[in-house]
Amino acid sequence: MNQEKITELEKTICRDYSNTAGIVVLKNGRTEYENYFNGCTSNCRIHVYSVTKSILSILIGIALDRGYIKNIHQKVLDFFPEYTVKNTMDSIRNITLENLLTMTAPYKYKFAPYLKYFTSDDWVKFSLEQLGGKGQIGKFRYAPLIGPDLLSGILAKTSGCSVFAFASEHLFSPLGITVEKNIIFHSKEEQMAFNSATDISGWVSDEAGNNAAGWGLTLSPADMAKIGQLYLNGGMWEGREIVSKSWIDESTKEHSRWKKQDLPYGYLWWLCDENANTFAAMGDGGNTIYVNKEKNLVVSIAALFTPKAKDRIGLIKEYIEPVFDTGSL
């Protein structure tokens, strides 16, 4: 490996992946590469969009390990006994926690009612009202925003604290990750500003205190790399088990598949090969936490939002992995 290869890699990033904010590469647990783009620095915090879902997966695993949740086969409605089911919606009773984790829960909406969702005071209640419909339980249906918040509601109900507080105690603090505060939007303009900001550390919440499960978390590339390394370590961090290896193994193997894109899915993690050796958390704009168990490699990419951003898995496999396959800088 040499500086010439690094220079070529950075030319490719600037030319074809120009919205990149920062990249960290860990090999054998060591930082082999860290660089920032578009005026960003290691102090910046980027909205990682759907990478947030994979963080929820970790938190659900921790809750299972600690006995807050019995098992993933529990019915979703068992966690919301206050919800009244309409007679025509009886099938909703069979939707499980596993269906939420594998994106195999049906929803009533054909087109996601984003405006009503964002202006709702309680995203968990709103998502619960969208659950069900005529769709088939067990059939993959990717729910970007409306639906995953049910996991926030379940975690908060079972743990007795907010998702932000639970994550801070059981995940962020042990890994040395700082997420400063809950963020509540009071206008569309505030939300739009948040999406493009690089200096806000926090996790978006609705007015009822529910943290968004499918979006809304800001992290640095180094924070993201720590999450990847935690999974590469089998859930261990500095001699302490943060989340069980059994949960990691189960959540990063195929349980469902987005047939339209031919993408295998675990428990809110995407699988990048058929043997579950590589998996990733992926968010809009190109935000990515990539783990390759065979090569003992973690790649984290934070990216500023841009519509239809190029797939970062291609960048990682074609350009980044070959640079770090052998040796170190």
Side-chain angles (χ1 to χ4, degrees):
M1 190 186 313
N2 53 49
Q3 189 57 44
E4 187 177 321
K5 290 183 178 180
I6 295 297
T7 300
E8 287 302 312
L9 170 63
E10 291 174 351
K11 284 182 180 178
T12 299
I13 293 167
C14 293
R15 182 183 67 243
D16 299 332
Y17 303 88
S18 58
N19 67 317
T20 299
I23 297 178
V24 172
V25 179
L26 306 181
K27 176 81 171 181
N28 299 321
R30 294 174 52 189
T31 302
E32 297 290 344
Y33 178 79
E34 182 173 1
N35 201 12
Y36 298 89
F37 307 84
N38 286 300
C40 294
T41 69
S42 60
N43 293 321
C44 290
R45 298 296 183 270
I46 309 298
H47 179 198
V48 295
Y49 291 89
S50 286
V51 169
T52 308
K53 294 181 177 70
S54 300
I55 304 301
L56 254 293
S57 177
I58 302 172
L59 299 179
I60 293 294
I62 294 171
L64 282 159
D65 293 339
R66 293 176 173 269
Y68 293 116
I69 297 172
K70 293 177 183 177
N71 60 69
I72 62 170
H73 304 296
Q74 286 182 265
K75 303 294 195 302
V76 170
L77 291 190
D78 288 350
F79 299 100
F80 303 98
E82 71 280 7
Y83 181 71
T84 302
V85 180
K86 298 177 182 178
N87 291 334
T88 56
M89 290 291 297
D90 197 54
S91 64
I92 193 177
R93 300 182 191 276
N94 295 318
I95 299 173
T96 66
L97 177 56
E98 184 176 26
N99 293 132
L100 297 180
L101 291 167
T102 59
M103 292 289 176
T104 57
Y107 295 94
K108 297 175 186 176
Y109 60 83
K110 184 176 181 180
F111 300 103
Y114 289 132
L115 181 59
K116 290 182 178 179
Y117 166 78
F118 284 122
T119 55
S120 168
D121 293 337
D122 189 329
W123 295 334
V124 174
K125 182 180 178 183
F126 185 87
S127 297
L128 191 58
E129 291 170 348
Q130 299 299 317
L131 192 65
K134 297 180 181 179
Q136 179 185 343
I137 298 173
K139 182 179 180 180
F140 189 92
R141 180 182 178 181
Y142 187 66
L145 301 183
I146 303 173
D149 289 338
L150 290 170
L151 294 167
S152 287
I154 290 169
L155 187 58
K157 275 177 170 281
T158 55
S159 68
C161 64
S162 71
V163 170
F164 175 72
F166 187 89
S168 296
E169 179 179 356
H170 298 295
L171 180 62
F172 297 151
S173 180
L175 268 62
I177 293 173
T178 299
V179 180
E180 292 183 357
K181 59 187 177 182
N182 276 317
I183 300 166
I184 299 176
F185 301 129
H186 300 98
S187 67
K188 178 182 177 182
E189 288 72 26
E190 284 187 11
Q191 182 174 343
M192 297 304 291
F194 167 80
N195 287 337
S196 60
T198 62
D199 60 351
I200 301 175
S201 174
W203 197 334
V204 172
S205 165
D206 64 17
E207 293 186 7
N210 302 302
N211 291 102
W215 63 288
L217 179 64
T218 68
L219 296 170
S220 70
D223 293 335
M224 297 163 73
K226 287 179 179 180
I227 297 294
Q229 190 63 43
L230 174 69
Y231 263 46
L232 192 58
N233 292 348
M236 300 296 296
W237 193 264
E238 296 181 346
R240 173 184 172 185
E241 183 182 86
I242 306 300
V243 62
S244 63
K245 184 178 184 298
S246 60
W247 176 254
I248 293 174
D249 291 343
E250 195 66 24
S251 59
T252 56
K253 73 179 184 182
E254 182 174 347
H255 292 281
S256 58
R257 182 177 287 257
W258 192 354
K259 291 185 179 178
K260 182 179 179 181
Q261 304 288 342
D262 195 28
L263 289 173
Y265 203 62
Y267 293 157
L268 304 179
W269 286 85
W270 295 99
L271 280 65
C272 303
D273 64 34
E274 299 296 331
N275 300 316
N277 284 323
T278 58
F279 50 88
M282 293 192 286
D284 221 342
N287 288 283
T288 306
I289 302 172
Y290 174 89
V291 179
N292 187 321
K293 295 193 294 186
E294 189 176 14
K295 296 181 179 180
N296 210 19
L297 183 77
V298 172
V299 180
S300 66
I301 301 176
L304 307 173
F305 177 75
T306 187
K308 298 180 180 179
K310 289 189 70 173
D311 175 32
R312 260 44 176 199
I313 301 301
L315 169 67
I316 293 167
K317 288 189 172 184
E318 188 173 350
Y319 295 100
I320 296 179
E321 280 191 330
V323 174
F324 299 95
D325 262 349
T326 57
S328 60
L329 284 173

